Amino acid sequence: MGIDAKKKTAWFLTAGAAAVLLAAVLSVLYGSTGIPFGQVVRAVIKPDLTDQQHLVIRELRIPRTVGCILVGAAFSAAGAMMQGVTRNPLADSGLLGINAGASFALALCLAFLPGLNFSGVVFFSFLGAAAAMLVVYGLMSLKRRRLDPVRLVLAGSAVSIFLSSLSQAVAILCKIGYNLTFWTAGGVAGIRAKQLVFAGPVILLGLAAAVFLSGRVSLLSLGEEAARGLGLAVEGSRTACLSVVLVLAGGAVALAGPVAFVGLMVPHVVRYFTGADYRSVIPCSMVAGAFFMLAADIISRIINAPGEVPIGLVFAVIGVPFFIFTARKEERTFE
């Protein structure tokens, strides 16, 4: 990474951290219930647990804000790693079946293990995400050994559609449609401190591992032959990177549901400012993803106040045109 690239990365991280801090403050201040600024400050610094407004800040808004930061950073880092490892600019955990696998596992939990605690839900979400990833890469390895970006997306899309259909079938047969739909729409309104205590360390560990592996992702993005020529153990590095993607996506989906397009959009925005080196893209995507998730959550509260719009819908409105634009851009590049 050159000096100019390091400066761009430092500036982006600094500006991004300031933007995340501002958005986090707005997230804590704003809600369906109007709470004076002074009360918010006292609830943070010296809370009175007998005061209902303080409880709203401590038990609802602060965990929700922290959850937005973690989920946005996790989805964005997972998307950046996927795009680098597969050399596919349209890749993210949602397009490759991981989110659908976690959703199917949750549907089974809601149907057959309704009393399961949150740690159990997270565990089964990881299992579902891992199973989906194994199926996708199993399909990829039937005829060819190398990762074909187009076939990878097709395999991931097929697995996603299949698992989503199974989830809907379970929801209809077991009459859990409302609960499953509320969760799969994507949202952070239900995040509480006890969930963060379990899922937070898992996501933070995954984020740290993503930064550690960012150099390997950069080499993998050059192609297998180039990476091997530079001395990289390609298969082991790819397995490590995909394991981190699994941890990040599984933890984020367990907290907020399968919020689409975050992992697709954010790395593209970041690359516009920092370049294509994943040693910059991955950490900057974490910061940018946290900001976009906070901003989308605030928008979801504003546009239908005092009700809320699912945060997944906010991202879908922006993400679908962005996906089409990116796909057309890549098509012109190949031509």
Side-chain angles (χ1 to χ4, degrees):
M1 192 188 304
I3 297 176
D4 289 340
K6 289 182 178 179
K7 287 183 178 179
K8 288 181 181 179
T9 302
W11 277 108
F12 190 96
L13 290 174
T14 302
V20 169
L21 179 60
L22 176 60
V25 171
L26 293 176
S27 178
V28 174
L29 287 174
Y30 181 80
S32 58
T33 303
I35 300 177
F37 179 77
Q39 279 283 75
V40 174
V41 173
R42 284 190 289 273
V44 174
I45 298 175
K46 192 177 180 181
D48 178 5
L49 298 183
T50 62
D51 190 312
Q52 185 176 3
Q53 292 183 336
H54 286 204
L55 287 176
V56 169
I57 298 297
R58 303 282 298 189
E59 301 296 329
L60 300 180
R61 294 189 188 176
I62 290 178
R64 178 173 185 160
T65 299
V66 174
C68 277
I69 293 172
L70 291 174
V71 169
F75 274 130
S76 301
M81 294 187 77
M82 273 289 195
Q83 290 170 16
V85 170
T86 64
R87 304 182 67 204
N88 184 347
L90 301 179
D92 76 342
S93 59
L95 290 176
L96 298 181
I98 295 176
N99 293 359
S103 300
F104 178 59
L106 180 86
L108 296 178
C109 289
L110 291 175
F112 303 109
L113 300 170
L116 190 66
N117 58 25
F118 182 75
S119 59
V121 171
V122 173
F123 175 73
F124 279 103
S125 294
F126 283 135
L127 288 182
M133 179 180 285
L134 289 175
V135 170
V136 171
Y137 278 87
L139 292 174
M140 285 294 299
S141 63
L142 289 178
K143 293 183 179 180
R144 302 181 185 179
R145 293 183 178 180
R146 293 187 178 183
L147 285 175
D148 183 337
V150 176
R151 292 179 69 246
L152 186 62
V153 170
L154 291 175
S157 298
V159 172
S160 294
I161 294 171
F162 176 69
L163 292 177
S164 296
S165 300
L166 289 180
S167 298
Q168 294 301 320
V170 171
I172 293 172
L173 293 174
C174 300
K175 298 180 180 180
I176 57 168
Y178 177 80
N179 291 333
L180 183 64
T181 301
F182 180 80
W183 186 83
T184 54
V188 293
I191 295 178
R192 299 292 182 267
K194 62 181 180 180
Q195 299 172 354
L196 292 174
V197 168
F198 182 83
V202 174
I203 292 177
L204 289 174
L205 181 63
L207 293 174
V211 174
F212 177 76
L213 293 172
S214 59
R216 298 188 188 185
V217 177
S218 286
L219 294 178
L220 288 171
S221 69
L222 300 175
E224 289 188 16
E225 293 182 2
R228 284 197 176 93
L230 293 170
L232 183 69
V234 172
E235 296 302 328
S237 297
R238 181 183 292 144
T239 300
C241 291
L242 293 178
S243 298
V244 172
V245 169
L246 178 63
V247 170
L248 290 172
V253 171
L255 275 180
V259 182
F261 297 110
V262 185
L264 171 66
M265 293 190 302
V266 173
H268 283 279
V269 174
V270 169
R271 276 193 289 267
Y272 179 80
F273 291 98
T274 66
D277 192 332
Y278 283 87
R279 290 174 293 178
S280 296
V281 172
I282 289 176
C284 290
S285 292
M286 295 176 187
V287 176
F291 171 75
F292 279 114
M293 183 65 70
L294 285 168
D297 184 42
I298 294 171
I299 292 172
S300 72
R301 304 184 218 177
I302 292 175
I303 59 178
N304 192 33
E308 291 189 20
V309 174
I311 196 171
L313 179 59
V314 176
F315 274 109
V317 170
I318 304 171
V320 171
F322 187 90
F323 178 80
I324 295 172
F325 169 77
T326 304
R328 290 180 62 85
K329 180 180 177 182
E330 293 303 319
E331 183 181 2
R332 289 195 297 270
T333 300
F334 287 127
E335 290 176 353

